[in-house]
């Protein structure tokens, strides 16, 4: 399972996946959320990057070991890295904070801290950047769906925001 978003309700996804016997890779742009999930044991470990996470996930799956692996990164970027190397998860989902594009969703290329500065300086441009990232994120989810990943999201407005940003087929996977 590959998912994004470890804050709020998204934090339970890796734990639920492990309870179900899966290997879970969870991407989040906020290191404090990853740290909290590691501390509370909702996530088993953190990889240095998506490539290491995929390698570990394949190793655990081959051994029949259920584990969860966090990765620091923005899913709009990380999903395309997966596609570029030909990695297709069995299940792909999302629980990022797309319902709040101004404060909840961090645009690609920004950290939590730099996004905060960007948001304070220019909310209109920030929102445009967030919508562009959500569109790229959903295009990646659709690409992996087309390659065979069972794809869905939490219903967090990610598809709606992507559609508003020009992804006409954003609702081609369920929420």
């Amino acid at each position: 399972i590959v998912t994004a978003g470890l804050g709020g309700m998204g934090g339970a996804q890796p734990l639920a996946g492990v309870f179900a016997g899966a290997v879970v890779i969870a991407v989040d742009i906020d290191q404090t959320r990853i740290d909290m999930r590691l501390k509370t044991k909702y996530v088993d470990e953190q990889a240095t990057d998506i490539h290491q996470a995929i390698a570990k996930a394949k190793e655990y799956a081959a051994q029949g070991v259920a584990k969860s692996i966090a990765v620091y990164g923005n899913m709009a970027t990380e999903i395309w890295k997966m596609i570029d190397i030909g990695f297709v998860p069995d299940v792909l989902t999302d629980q990022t904070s797309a319902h709040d594009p101004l404060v909840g969703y961090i645009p690609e290329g920004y950290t939590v801290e730099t996004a905060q500065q960007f948001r304070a300086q220019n909310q209109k441009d920030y929102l445009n950047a967030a919508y562009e990232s959500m569109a790229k994120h959903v295009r990646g989810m659709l690409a992996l769906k087309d390659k065979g990943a069972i794809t869905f999201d939490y219903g967090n407005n990610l598809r709606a925001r992507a559609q508003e940003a020009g992804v006409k087929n954003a609702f081609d996977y369920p929420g």
Side-chain angles (χ1 to χ4, degrees), residues 43-75:
V43 173
D44 294 313
E45 61 189 81
Q46 182 173 357
T48 57
D49 59 30
I50 195 69
H51 302 287
Q52 183 188 47
I54 291 168
K56 285 179 171 234
K58 287 179 178 181
E59 181 181 317
Y60 290 136
Q63 296 170 0
V65 175
K67 287 274 189 184
S68 56
I69 307 159
V71 178
Y72 173 81
N74 189 305
M75 191 58 152

Side-chain angles (χ1 to χ4, degrees), residues 29 37 48:
I29 190 64
R37 299 308 177 191
T48 57

Side-chain angles (χ1 to χ4, degrees), residues 102 107-108 110-130:
L102 184 60
E108 185 178 31
Y110 291 87
T111 65
V112 171
E113 297 77 21
T114 61
Q116 185 176 7
Q117 293 167 358
F118 181 18
R119 187 181 317 115
Q121 292 169 355
N122 189 329
Q123 288 187 357
K124 182 180 177 204
D125 286 349
Y126 182 92
L127 285 170
N128 287 336

Side-chain angles (χ1 to χ4, degrees), residues 6 27-35 72-73 106 112-113:
L6 286 171
V27 177
D28 200 298
I29 190 64
D30 188 340
Q31 185 63 48
T32 65
R33 290 179 178 171
I34 294 171
D35 293 342
Y72 173 81
I106 305 297
V112 171
E113 297 77 21

Side-chain angles (χ1 to χ4, degrees), residues 2-6 10 13 25-28 75 93-96 137 156:
V2 171
T3 189
L6 286 171
Q13 288 188 115
I25 297 172
V27 177
D28 200 298
M75 191 58 152
T93 186
D94 177 78
Q95 223 165 358
T96 55
H137 183 160
N156 55 1

